[in-house]
Amino acid sequence: QVRLVESGGGLVQAGGSLRLSCAASGRIFSSYAMGWFRQAPGKEREFVAVISWTGGRIRYVDSVKGRFTISRDNAKNTVYLQMSSLKPEDTAVYYCAATLHYTATYSAQYDYWGQGTQVTVSS
């Protein structure tokens, strides 16, 4: 079992930045690839970014490339999502998730999920 707890969400103006954190406990964190997803009201959950267990492989959805950066610190059992140049369309609940599938981008491939943290970007 892996328990995930997100933090760092909030309200920010367009163009601003936020850093989300996801603290993991339980099974060996470093064995899992870690992903970030988001879900806006009335929309399906969307893949945002994923980082392999070593950090050597990273993937992003096209809409956040160049603006978001995913990273991890296996010594702290934590994965981060640095978000910059935020846009109103980035408004959503952001979830971190853990998977044994190498850099998976489909939510069904993830085994463990956090409770989510709200990010609201005002125009």
Side-chain angles (χ1 to χ4, degrees):
Q1 188 78 10
V2 174
R3 182 170 178 261
L4 304 173
V5 179
E6 302 98 332
S7 61
L11 173 64
V12 63
Q13 288 188 331
S17 299
L18 281 175
R19 187 175 83 154
L20 305 183
S21 299
C22 174
S25 60
R27 292 194 173 193
I28 302 173
F29 172 75
S30 59
S31 299
Y32 289 82
M34 297 299 296
W36 286 96
F37 288 75
R38 64 187 180 186
Q39 188 166 18
K43 295 188 176 182
E44 294 193 354
R45 192 167 296 188
E46 174 190 36
F47 164 77
V48 175
V50 62
I51 185 168
S52 65
W53 67 274
T54 65
R57 172 70 169 161
I58 290 173
R59 302 174 70 178
Y60 297 99
V61 67
D62 286 347
S63 60
V64 308
K65 285 180 180 178
R67 300 189 299 121
F68 289 13
T69 302
I70 189 171
S71 62
R72 68 189 294 162
D73 185 340
N74 287 345
K76 296 182 178 180
N77 285 359
T78 302
V79 62
Y80 305 97
L81 186 68
Q82 177 68 48
M83 306 185 294
S84 303
S85 301
L86 283 162
K87 305 175 181 180
E89 51 264 44
D90 294 317
T91 295
V93 177
Y94 283 72
Y95 300 89
C96 72
T99 180
L100 291 174
H101 295 277
Y102 187 68
T103 58
T105 61
Y106 294 98
S107 60
Q109 295 174 296
Y110 283 76
D111 303 297
Y112 302 101
W113 293 84
Q115 82 289 349
T117 185
Q118 176 70 48
V119 171
T120 303
V121 184
S122 63
S123 57

